[in-house]
């Protein structure tokens, strides 16, 4: 199940562009009533395509968004921790290779990530944080290990481009600022297939919400980051299911 359905895509695009629905309806040649109905969950491909054109999204990707579900995948080196977050969920990701277990993000409360890892009988070797929102950093103190992140209290700072090598894998910090500033993704190579831990910058079929002053730059950063990656690179988002670079280049209305 996607983190963001088509109504969230519309809200995020409106927010990012700083436009009221009435203005976008006029630009798209649609009635305000039609746009309101769409925003309340009544999907129509033609309406989606017209709104996409008015908002600078991919018309084809948005018109087919209702049917988009990333292909299931087997990730032998990766485990997803689905942690509680205000009645919903947030992801943390455990990457295991060469005798090391690396934890990416730590949940919305002090104990949930640690409790999940205890069930797995795993003690992480290091913790990596994508950005400073509470649902990603609140469990950090449960792990007395080396921590890394972009200007995160208690963690070693990593600038975009920073490279770390750990027991057969390399991690490169990638600038994904926009939804939160600063944010980094982690490109991991040396696994069965390359992986980008993306935090809240990218979701399957969507992006993290951005204020107007950061929205366009955020999309440019994401596109720049994905442009250099193979289509089979797996994206591990902060919310929702994993996806791939190729699927998001084709099916994500913000990126296609």
């Amino acid at each position: 199940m996607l983190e963001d359905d088509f109504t969230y895509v519309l809200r995020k695009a409106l927010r990012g562009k700083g436009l009221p629905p009435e203005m976008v309806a006029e630009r798209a040649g649609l009635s305000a009533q039609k746009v309101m109905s769409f925003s309340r969950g009544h999907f129509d491909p033609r309406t989606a395509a017209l709104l996409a054109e008015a908002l600078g999204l991919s018309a084809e990707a948005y018109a087919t968004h209702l049917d988009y579900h990333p292909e299931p995948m087997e990730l032998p080196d990766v485990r997803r921790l689905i942690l509680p977050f205000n009645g919903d969920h947030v992801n943390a990701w455990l990457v295991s290779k060469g005798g090391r277990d690396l934890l990416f993000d730590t949940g919305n409360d002090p104990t949930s990530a640690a409790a999940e890892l205890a069930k797995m009988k795993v003690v992480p070797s290091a913790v990596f944080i994508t950005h400073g929102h509470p649902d990603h950093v609140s469990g950090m103190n449960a792990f007395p290990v080396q921590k890394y992140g972009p200007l995160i209290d208690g963690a070693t700072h990593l600038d975009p481009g920073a490279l770390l090598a750990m027991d057969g894998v390399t991690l490169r910090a990638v600038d994904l600022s926009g939804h939160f500033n600063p944010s980094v993704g982690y490109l991991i190579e040396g696994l069965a297939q390359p992986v980008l831990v993306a935090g809240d910058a990218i979701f399957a079929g969507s992006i993290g919400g951005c204020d107007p002053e950061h929205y366009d730059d955020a999309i440019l950063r994401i596109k720049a980051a994905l442009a250099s990656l193979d289509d089979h690179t797996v994206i591990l988002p902060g919310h929702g299911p994993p996806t791939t670079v190729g699927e998001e280049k084709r099916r994500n209305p913000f990126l296609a």
Side-chain angles (χ1 to χ4, degrees), residues 100-101 103 106 110-111 113-115 117-118 122-128 137-148 154-156:
R100 282 183 180 263
D101 296 293
L103 180 64
T106 61
T111 61
L117 292 184
V122 168
V123 177
S125 306
V127 170
F128 294 83
V137 302
S138 294
M140 277 180 56
N141 291 337
F143 303 105
V145 298
Q146 181 67 55
K147 303 174 182 73
Y148 301 90
T156 298

Side-chain angles (χ1 to χ4, degrees), residues 95 104 169-171 186-191 193-197:
V95 174
F104 294 83
V169 300
T170 60
L171 297 91
Y186 296 97
L187 178 63
I188 308 172
E189 296 182 294
L191 306 176
Q193 57 196 106
V195 164
L196 176 65
V197 184

Side-chain angles (χ1 to χ4, degrees), residues 50-95:
L50 291 171
L51 287 171
E53 290 173 1
L55 287 163
L57 305 177
S58 165
E60 181 178 356
Y62 200 29
T64 59
H65 194 269
L66 191 67
D67 300 320
Y68 175 40
H69 304 285
E71 291 292 328
M73 62 188 79
E74 293 187 11
L75 302 171
D77 305 312
V78 177
R79 282 174 279 185
R80 178 184 178 189
L81 282 64
I82 304 176
L83 306 174
F85 172 42
N86 297 341
D88 207 331
H89 299 93
V90 62
N91 295 332
W93 298 94
L94 185 70
V95 174

Side-chain angles (χ1 to χ4, degrees), residues 159-161 172-178 180-185 201 218 221-222 224-225:
D159 285 315
R172 178 165 59 86
V174 178
D175 187 6
L176 293 178
S177 299
F180 186 93
N181 300 292
S183 296
V184 298
R221 286 191 189 97
I222 295 168

